[in-house]
Amino acid sequence: MNAPHPPKVAGIDPAVPTPAHTVAPTSPASVPAPAPAPHPPAPGAVLQDRLAGWVSDLTTLHELTERLTRTSALDPALHELLGAGASLVGARRGLVVLEPGDGPRTTLGLGLGRADLGLIETVPHGALPYDTGGGAEIVHPDLLAEDGLDPRHREVAARLGYAASYAVPLATASAGRLGAAVWFYDEPAEPHERRRHLAGLYVRHATEHLARLLEVERTRACMATITEELLPARLPRVAGVQLAARHRTGPRGGGDWYDALPLPDAALGLSVGSVTGSGPSAVAAMGRLRASLRAYAVMEGEDPVAVLSDLELLLRLTEPARSATALFAFCEPALRKVTLAGAGHSPPLLIGERRTRFAETSVSAPLGMLACWEAPSVEIQAQAGETVLLYTDGLLHRTGDPMDRAFARLHAAAAGVPRAVRHDPGAVADHVLRTVLPDGLDAADSDEDVVLLAARFD
């Protein structure tokens, strides 16, 4: 039976013994005089070396924590944690497991694929190389030579090719227990005390940062849910017109809305708008304004100017510190006729086989900006197969371009809708969204909401 491997310090090879002499001893005459003994280092030099080591460690720790702090989402932060921890403890692979008490379990690997992570999960819970509920580090300096190791753990370690592991809990007094991180070594090894100390400091900082990011994720999910609940659960079905909507909410929750409301005599009311500000107050104001607009549309929807005038009066009386832009369109699908009015809102876009143009709406102030709002309405006569696209300014603002160039980009995207998808308003909206906001800008973190409402006339 082979003797167990002597453990070594991570990143440092064990000392190699001096080989025995095999040369015959020389005569005393040929032996040179012994060199004088070296002087012991001065106490000041030893202290200086220690201080230099501490400064180097603190500099490294500062750089790693700065990189971690710059992450603003959970996945990049976990990747940064694994990479920085691996460099501190001298490992090459690792994984992190998050198990917050009020959230889903998250597992992420460094140098490990999904299949590898799944294989590790087959180890019995009490024999895992980490403990998400514990409060102490777990060290396995030589797994293959360790007595009492779970057979399944030994099998998984042999299959994945790691011989040692070092795990630390992700837990602090303020953040609670979030999970654990573990790093794997290809050979028997363990980090020495200096590396453990640095890793412990870094992990404590990382745990606090992860706790903040988890709270941000929960807040974003909550705001997105509230916003979606305040918007239509589904669009109505009205003869002669097909509807589709796309909505992207900012991380703090914004005040953009869309609505489609069946009206008497087979008519249809369409609206989009945006309340200033972001966060819970803006979302609540958006919900109140949208509900009020629906009531005014039922009463006098055939006159969009009257609808927006009533909405402006309500906003000025109930929320004098807030303003909003809005556009309301009264559609008669049987006639393919649209009568609309806008208050500080961007003009709708008419998309067809033979033309793509912006509706010529009059310039008007947003609601709540003037003592009394009023602007003339505009009529659009659509052709069969044409789509009227309503949108909010967030679609333009997220491009980062000046407004004239953003409008030009939007027009080019609408004109370039493939003929094969022009019959589907949802496909038209998706094409415009991807073209105007490429590289995932529609899903990127932004204070701007994005709303598109497309109505295709048969």
Side-chain angles (χ1 to χ4, degrees), residues 34-301:
H39 295 288
V46 174
L47 181 59
Q48 187 174 5
D49 289 343
R50 289 183 179 178
L51 288 175
W54 293 340
V55 170
S56 176
D57 289 345
L58 292 176
T59 301
T60 300
L61 191 62
H62 174 73
E63 293 175 353
L64 294 177
T65 53
E66 281 289 313
R67 287 170 50 182
L68 178 67
T69 304
R70 284 194 292 268
T71 59
S72 57
L74 196 58
D75 276 359
L78 294 177
H79 281 291
E80 184 64 35
L81 164 64
L82 284 175
S87 66
L88 288 174
V89 301
R92 189 172 62 89
R93 293 180 292 174
L95 70 89
V96 60
V97 179
L98 285 185
E99 287 186 338
D102 55 351
R105 176 187 175 97
T106 303
T107 304
L108 193 69
L110 172 68
L112 298 170
R114 287 188 175 272
D116 300 332
L117 297 177
L119 193 62
I120 294 175
E121 293 297 325
T122 63
V123 178
H125 187 74
L128 284 167
Y130 60 86
D131 182 9
T132 56
E137 61 183 20
I138 299 177
V139 185
H140 293 288
D142 192 349
L143 284 166
L144 301 181
E146 186 174 322
D147 294 332
L149 187 68
D150 183 86
R152 182 56 182 167
H153 189 183
R154 190 186 305 275
E155 179 184 351
V156 169
R159 185 176 300 183
L160 296 182
Y162 65 85
S165 65
Y166 175 67
V168 292
L170 301 177
T172 63
S174 58
R177 295 180 179 179
L178 301 183
V182 57
W183 291 274
F184 301 107
Y185 302 94
D186 298 339
E187 299 177 359
E190 63 177 306
H192 54 65
E193 188 169 347
R194 176 180 169 186
R195 286 177 177 261
R196 290 188 189 184
H197 178 66
L198 288 177
L201 294 175
Y202 178 80
V203 168
R204 282 195 290 274
H205 173 81
T207 302
E208 297 288 344
H209 185 63
L210 292 176
R212 290 190 292 269
L213 292 180
L214 284 170
E215 184 62 29
V216 170
E217 293 285 343
R218 284 191 288 265
T219 303
R220 289 180 179 178
C222 180
M223 292 304 303
T225 301
I226 294 174
T227 303
E228 293 300 326
E229 290 296 325
L230 291 174
L231 295 175
R234 57 176 181 156
L235 296 173
R237 293 184 178 182
V238 178
V241 65
Q242 302 175 51
L243 301 174
R246 299 293 183 265
H247 181 223
R248 302 290 186 269
T249 305
R252 293 186 295 173
D256 287 17
W257 84 82
Y258 67 91
D259 203 356
L261 178 66
L263 298 174
D265 300 325
L268 177 70
L270 301 177
S271 70
V272 293
S274 177
V275 175
T276 55
S278 60
S281 62
V283 173
M286 176 269 287
R288 292 191 293 267
L289 213 61
R290 172 180 168 267
S292 301
L293 191 148
R294 289 174 69 92
Y296 298 143
V298 170
M299 293 187 294
E300 47 194 4

Side-chain angles (χ1 to χ4, degrees), residues 298-317:
V298 170
M299 293 187 294
E300 47 194 4
E302 69 280 357
D303 186 358
V305 173
V307 171
L308 292 187
S309 296
D310 293 343
L311 192 67
E312 192 275 338
L313 178 60
L314 176 73
L315 183 69
R316 184 154 44 88
L317 294 176

